[in-house]
Amino acid sequence: MNRQTMDNEAPVNNNGNSFHGLLPAEQHKRILRKRHAAEFRFKMYGIAAVLVSILLLATLLLTIGVNGYSAFQQTYMKLDLTLDANDIPADDLAHANYQGVVKSSLRKMFPDVSGRRELRKLYSLVSSGAAFQLRDKVLDDPGLVGQTISLWVPADDDVDMYMKGHLDESVPADQRRLNPDQVEWINKLRAEDRIEKRFNTTLFTAGDSREPELAGIWGATVGSFYTLVVTLLLSFPIGVAAATYLEEFAPTNRWTDFIEVNINNLAAVPSIVFGLLGLAVFLNFFGLPRSAPLVGGLVLTLMTLPTIIISSRAAIKAVPPSIREAALGIGSSKMQTVLNHVLPLALPGILTGTIIGMAQALGETAPLLMIGMVAFIVDIPGGFTDPSTVLPVQIYLWSDSPERAFLERTSAAIMVLLAFLIAMNAVAILLRKRFERQW
Amino acid sequence: MISLPNILLAIFILSGISFFFGRKHSLAIVGGTKRAQELHSRPTYYGWLLALWCFIPAFIIFAAWGLFNDTIITSIVVRDLPASLQSLPSSRLELIINDIHNVVSGSFMGADKHPDIVAAAEHYKNLQSLGNIAMAVAVLCVAAGGLFIGYRKIVPEYRARNDVEHVLKIVLIICSTLAIFTTIGIVLSVLFEAIRFFHKVPLTDFLFGLDWSPQMAIRADQVGSSGAFGAIPVFAGTMLISAIAMFVAVPVGLMSAIYLSEYSDKKVRAVVKPVMEILAGVPTVVYGFFAALVVAPMFRGLGEAMGMDIASESAIAAGSVMGIMIIPFVSSLSDDAINAVPQSLREGSYGLGATKSETVRKVVLPAALPGIVGGILLAVSRAIGETMIVVMAAGLSANLTANPFQAVTTVTVQIVTLLIGDQEFDSPKTLAAFALGLVLFIITLVLNVIALYVVRKYREQYE
């Protein structure tokens, strides 16, 4: 503190009398106390800032977890299905009226339900996927026709939500997703042990669906996989080649400066602009198919290239010149030096950067919306030009759905996506820890 | 079946074979492995040389055909169309060509296929397979020719290594120029569409208009059928949300950077820093979900409790979540800037009797200020370009307001909504997205250039 502030202070002793300038020790103590208080406050601000960010991260993850963990379970119902040979003609097993079989089994369970509206409510307890499940079972084993089998089929998403305790009691009874009658039926089924929650395998094996209980993330996962394969196959060799040239061969002139400025700029261009580029160039100019992993991969390649180039350059730069000089000294050409000595030594660093770039690409959504990967696609993509969607886009699509059941599935999909990302980053960290050398 | 991927595969296999062939041949001409030192280069290089001679010319032909076969065949098919179809106006003709393509690719579901179109599609398919066969023959001939030339070149004195390395270096140069091509691609693709847009909507209307309602009416006599493309409300919404984001991110990010670099001990830093960086690795779609699911209802509830009317898609919900996303960005860039301040400055300050916080505020921060400002500018450009959070949590209607509790829209939201779904590429509605994209590109580019300049200039001071 400078002289001025000390003069302006008017220290007061316990009696309230002014001792201006008379007791410097007392003055100093007061000023010090103030300064230490300020010091303490400043430190607290810092701690608060750190805590706030950690707290926000925790809230984010906790919300996702709390909302999503229940999606890993799905309510199933046990139905006794009478496969009458009259209903299921042996010559056309695939197109028989399985829906009717499911309905009649429900009618048999609740004989006192009558009236079209009531019956429709009863039927709505079972997922529309039940009929398909039954068909597949019969197609697998045609000998079942004529027997009565009991089968666990998925319940409707509203039943599922009720079983998980998400029925909104605040809504008037006649406007609820499940009316009191239906709740009564469910409770009756529950008492008969005909309804239970099981692990939701559908979530991991099915493609998208309009019915939450039949919707899964496998289609999106496969789409993400194909997209990432394209991205990796293109961006890794091109990125490493570019980094090698710029770091090892390029003369320092305006041209290389220009390339460098371009790479740095591209790293900061908003991702959606790459989507515009993809739409205008790959779709409209080259006429590549919409919604295809091939185009998605191309767009993501252009996006991840700067990341890979920058990190590869850092890794190549970290290899000490003595290695290069030794290789050159025993007669290697410049190219041999780079290919046989510098690149292998820089590889862990390059791989770390690549994995981080891939993780970014995996989580990227915006540019993929532009090239049509938001389409509703039920089938599992089988190749690089099949229409498909990717995990983050699936999350975006589901988050828009009004059904309560999609909320938990969105969160579950987010958990899966985050798990992939964490795994990738963990691999990157592991690589760095194990192989990166301090020269 | 002769298809493009199969031909490509054939080229690769041929080149692979010629690699081994070239290698073997180089050894054979000097008389075995033991006398390999008589060759100028190691045998592998002769293999590579032959493979390249086989691959490059064949691949050039393949790529050229792959790029242009569709255009060529289409023009032939159109020329051979019946005169009645050819005399149609160009827009109808485009549709017919489109139909032909659809029939060829097998994705045409329409029940009423015109016989002429089916015939044309058949014609197209025939030409395509004919073209593929011709190309396969051409590729094979060229590959064989290349192989022959390369084979003739292999003599013990031939400097295979130099040639192979020369080719490799050219490949490296091409790879490194890809960044430039991407930039050119971005600029051209966005610029062309934007220019088409500005032919329909004057530039001044776009830049200074106060009314944004791009929806085109179905009938021409409908009110507002032309759509309004005044982008000021969209820019204002973007600025508002970015400002809110910075309001959250700068204090939190800066203070945590100060704490982590000046106060905390190494163990705490080693744990907290990666944890904070997780925030940067979370996909933005997750933040968008968080904003729409948790933060927006929370603000709405708070508003209700305090008797305020907060829209369910408010600027503040989107902005604050975006701020959370940017925290690690601000903190890691500030951290770099603070760490770059030399220790001697701090020690000088301590030597004068200053406390830690006084040193930070009066010495370290002023010294690190350019770096911090550069980092904040980068963060602003990121906020302006961020898409998913605003798409999921900000509104769609363009309000010209400074009230953070109302719904506003942003540049990126408008781009997404204008381009998702069915598009026709000559309506101002679709083209407007590219005009917005152009503005977004320019703004973020300028911000980035300034930021990088500031950061770089400052770094040189202590080196």
Side-chain angles (χ1 to χ4, degrees):
Chain A
M1 284 285 134
N2 54 33
R3 197 73 219 159
Q4 190 117 38
T5 32
M6 275 168 60
D7 286 345
N8 289 343
E9 296 277 333
V12 176
N13 78 347
N14 291 342
N15 304 324
N17 296 330
S18 174
F19 283 96
H20 193 94
L22 283 180
L23 267 178
E26 187 74 8
Q27 265 186 21
H28 279 146
K29 250 187 207 157
R30 287 180 53 86
I31 293 165
L32 258 182
R33 218 178 298 138
K34 263 183 98 170
R35 287 173 66 196
H36 283 157
E39 173 72 30
F40 179 75
R41 278 200 308 274
F42 192 76
K43 195 174 170 181
M44 283 303 130
Y45 293 146
I47 293 178
V50 171
L51 285 182
V52 162
S53 19
I54 292 175
L55 205 72
L56 288 171
L57 178 67
T59 319
L60 176 76
L61 296 180
L62 211 68
T63 325
I64 306 289
V66 166
N67 275 303
Y69 80 96
S70 55
F72 295 114
Q73 284 201 317
Q74 159 75 31
T75 307
Y76 283 81
M77 244 184 228
K78 190 162 93 173
L79 298 181
D80 294 326
L81 300 156
T82 312
L83 296 164
D84 197 332
N86 297 330
D87 294 341
I88 303 166
D91 52 339
D92 193 14
L93 284 178
H95 298 101
N97 182 12
Y98 295 103
Q99 198 73 54
V101 177
V102 172
K103 283 178 181 172
S104 72
S105 105
L106 278 168
R107 273 201 304 275
K108 233 177 275 170
M109 260 188 278
F110 296 96
D112 48 334
V113 178
S114 62
R116 274 181 59 159
R117 282 181 68 187
E118 290 295 290
L119 277 173
R120 216 170 45 227
K121 280 191 183 127
L122 179 61
Y123 298 152
S124 75
L125 291 184
V126 177
S127 162
S128 58
F132 299 111
Q133 197 187 331
L134 180 60
R135 184 192 65 190
D136 292 344
K137 203 162 171 64
V138 173
L139 284 177
D140 266 358
D141 181 10
L144 290 175
V145 177
Q147 300 177 21
T148 297
I149 57 170
S150 59
L151 189 66
W152 285 95
V153 297
D156 189 67
D157 58 304
D158 292 331
V159 179
D160 191 37
M161 286 297 104
Y162 171 71
M163 288 292 290
K164 287 169 183 167
H166 293 318
L167 188 72
D168 196 350
E169 303 278 355
S170 66
V171 180
D174 52 333
Q175 285 168 27
R176 287 185 199 158
R177 303 276 306 188
L178 289 178
N179 66 14
D181 280 350
Q182 286 171 306
V183 171
E184 202 177 296
W185 297 331
I186 296 171
N187 287 334
K188 193 181 160 217
L189 284 172
R190 192 145 63 162
E192 292 172 19
D193 277 338
R194 280 180 173 278
I195 201 159
E196 69 176 33
K197 283 190 280 184
R198 295 181 172 187
F199 182 70
N200 187 359
T201 47
T202 316
L203 184 67
F204 296 100
T205 54
D208 198 5
S209 170
R210 299 267 185 236
E211 305 292 331
E213 71 273 11
L214 301 177
I217 54 170
W218 184 241
T221 310
V222 173
S224 270
F225 172 75
Y226 283 128
T227 310
L228 279 192
V229 166
V230 175
T231 312
L232 183 65
L233 285 183
L234 289 173
S235 62
F236 180 68
I238 295 177
V240 175
T244 310
Y245 177 73
L246 291 176
E247 204 53 53
E248 294 285 336
F249 297 100
T252 39
N253 55 22
R254 284 224 180 128
W255 176 243
T256 34
D257 259 8
F258 184 57
I259 293 177
E260 239 188 286
V261 169
N262 259 295
I263 290 171
N264 285 332
N265 272 332
L266 280 183
V269 167
S271 60
I272 192 167
V273 173
F274 287 97
L276 291 175
L277 169 77
L279 175 63
V281 174
F282 298 131
L283 295 191
N284 291 343
F285 188 71
F286 286 121
L288 293 172
R290 287 178 73 86
S291 319
L294 177 67
V295 182
L298 283 170
V299 169
L300 292 182
T301 298
L302 298 182
M303 250 191 65
T304 25
L305 260 183
T307 316
I308 295 184
I309 295 177
I310 292 170
S311 63
S312 301
R313 284 189 71 172
I316 293 172
K317 206 180 240 167
V319 176
S322 57
I323 304 261
R324 295 182 186 81
E325 281 151 16
L328 292 171
I330 55 166
S332 299
S333 68
K334 182 84 185 153
M335 189 66 81
Q336 280 173 318
T337 308
V338 172
L339 290 184
N340 299 343
H341 302 279
V342 177
L343 281 186
L345 288 173
L347 200 62
I350 294 175
L351 284 182
T352 316
T354 307
I355 294 171
I356 288 169
M358 286 297 119
Q360 275 173 15
L362 176 63
E364 194 53 65
T365 322
L368 301 179
L369 304 183
M370 306 279 91
I371 56 158
M373 290 193 106
V374 270
F376 172 73
I377 288 150
V378 179
D379 296 326
I380 314 290
F384 293 103
T385 50
D386 281 4
S388 66
T389 186
V390 293
L391 264 179
V393 177
Q394 184 76 82
I395 290 165
Y396 169 63
L397 287 173
W398 279 357
S399 73
D400 238 10
S401 301
E403 278 105 334
R404 175 69 175 75
F406 269 123
L407 177 73
E408 61 172 38
R409 275 163 181 77
T410 313
S411 304
I414 289 177
M415 282 195 257
V416 173
L417 179 63
L418 288 180
F420 276 125
L421 289 178
I422 290 170
M424 285 169 94
N425 283 308
V427 171
I429 291 170
L430 214 71
L431 264 177
R432 193 182 292 168
K433 281 234 162 103
R434 268 200 75 157
F435 294 107
E436 208 155 67
R437 261 188 270 183
Q438 288 288 318
W439 300 94
Chain B
M1 179 63 207
I2 297 177
S3 67
L4 295 187
N6 285 349
I7 295 174
L8 188 63
L9 194 67
I11 296 178
F12 273 110
I13 292 173
L14 260 173
S15 313
I17 292 171
S18 43
F19 170 78
F20 289 106
F21 185 56
R23 210 181 130 171
K24 229 177 129 192
H25 179 66
S26 69
L27 284 173
I29 50 172
V30 290
T33 334
K34 283 196 181 139
R35 302 176 60 186
Q37 70 272 20
E38 285 177 24
L39 290 165
H40 168 270
S41 312
R42 292 170 61 205
T44 324
Y45 283 100
Y46 292 94
W48 278 114
L49 186 80
L50 210 57
L52 287 174
W53 267 106
C54 179
F55 181 81
I56 292 173
F59 185 77
I60 288 173
I61 291 192
F62 171 81
W65 177 248
L67 277 181
F68 297 115
N69 73 339
D70 195 49
T71 334
I72 295 168
I73 292 176
T74 306
S75 71
I76 297 175
V77 169
V78 170
R79 201 195 61 206
D80 292 349
L81 276 177
S84 60
L85 286 180
Q86 275 199 40
S87 58
L88 286 171
S90 62
S91 59
R92 285 275 296 135
L93 198 61
E94 294 263 314
L95 279 178
I96 288 175
I97 293 170
N98 217 359
D99 277 354
I100 295 171
H101 279 215
N102 284 337
V103 173
V104 169
S105 65
S107 64
F108 190 66
M109 298 303 176
D112 50 341
K113 279 186 234 171
H114 196 282
D116 284 343
I117 290 179
V118 176
E122 207 53 42
H123 189 39
Y124 187 100
K125 274 188 197 163
N126 287 339
L127 283 174
Q128 202 175 31
S129 59
L130 196 72
N132 280 351
I133 292 171
M135 213 256 295
V137 173
V139 161
L140 223 61
C141 290
V142 170
L147 205 63
F148 181 68
I149 298 175
Y151 183 80
R152 289 273 300 274
K153 276 186 180 264
I154 297 179
V155 286
E157 304 83 52
Y158 186 67
R159 302 179 169 202
R161 185 177 85 177
N162 303 28
D163 278 15
V164 170
E165 288 184 348
H166 193 65
V167 172
L168 201 57
K169 201 168 162 185
I170 291 172
V171 172
L172 293 189
I173 292 176
I174 292 173
C175 286
S176 67
T177 48
L178 203 73
I180 294 173
F181 286 119
T182 311
T183 313
I184 294 173
I186 288 174
V187 172
L188 286 189
S189 58
V190 177
L191 196 65
F192 269 129
E193 308 288 334
I195 287 173
R196 281 172 68 193
F197 173 74
F198 291 130
H199 276 306
K200 300 185 182 191
V201 177
L203 181 63
T204 46
D205 285 12
F206 176 73
L207 284 183
F208 305 113
L210 295 180
D211 187 16
W212 177 266
S213 55
Q215 278 68 31
M216 296 293 284
I218 297 158
R219 293 193 322 274
D221 57 329
Q222 223 165 320
V223 181
S225 62
S226 57
F229 295 98
I232 290 279
V234 183
F235 297 148
T238 311
M239 290 304 146
L240 178 61
I241 287 187
S242 307
I244 295 168
M246 299 323 290
F247 196 71
V248 173
V250 171
V252 177
L254 191 56
M255 279 315 287
S256 31
I258 290 172
Y259 180 75
L260 288 179
S261 57
E262 298 286 323
Y263 283 93
S264 74
D265 59 89
K266 270 190 176 163
K267 275 184 198 161
V268 175
R269 187 183 157 89
V271 175
V272 170
K273 221 179 167 214
V275 168
M276 280 183 69
E277 266 158 20
I278 295 178
L279 277 175
V282 173
T284 51
V285 68
V286 177
Y287 281 113
F289 182 65
F290 183 63
L293 179 82
V294 180
V295 179
M298 189 191 83
F299 276 116
R300 207 181 146 72
L302 270 180
E304 266 169 20
M306 284 156 50
M308 270 193 304
D309 189 28
I310 298 183
S312 57
E313 292 183 319
S314 56
I316 189 153
S320 53
V321 173
M322 198 192 275
I324 299 175
M325 184 196 85
I326 295 176
I327 289 173
F329 200 72
V330 173
S331 79
S332 73
L333 284 168
S334 318
D335 199 48
D336 288 348
I338 290 171
N339 281 333
V341 175
Q343 197 57 30
S344 59
L345 287 187
R346 291 189 188 83
E347 276 154 11
S349 172
Y350 295 147
L352 290 173
T355 63
K356 225 166 190 180
S357 66
E358 283 158 9
T359 308
V360 169
R361 274 181 303 198
K362 304 226 158 89
V363 177
V364 177
L365 279 188
L369 200 62
I372 293 172
V373 169
I376 290 174
L377 284 181
L378 283 179
V380 170
S381 96
R382 177 164 282 209
I384 291 175
E386 166 50 39
T387 311
M388 291 321 291
I389 296 175
V390 283
V391 166
M392 292 163 86
L396 288 179
S397 59
N399 290 326
L400 188 54
T401 174
N403 179 357
F405 302 121
Q406 277 191 4
V408 294
T409 194
T410 70
V411 174
T412 46
V413 171
Q414 288 306 313
I415 295 176
V416 169
T417 45
L418 291 174
L419 284 184
I420 286 186
D422 294 329
Q423 312 146 1
E424 31 175 344
F425 261 80
D426 45 0
S427 86
K429 188 186 155 194
T430 331
L431 296 175
F434 285 91
L436 287 177
L438 181 66
V439 175
L440 181 67
F441 181 70
I442 293 173
I443 291 177
T444 51
L445 189 70
V446 169
L447 276 175
N448 289 331
V449 170
I450 296 174
L452 285 177
Y453 175 75
V454 170
V455 170
R456 195 176 282 184
K457 189 164 181 198
Y458 150 77
R459 276 220 179 109
E460 281 161 8
Q461 276 181 1
Y462 298 113
E463 270 171 6

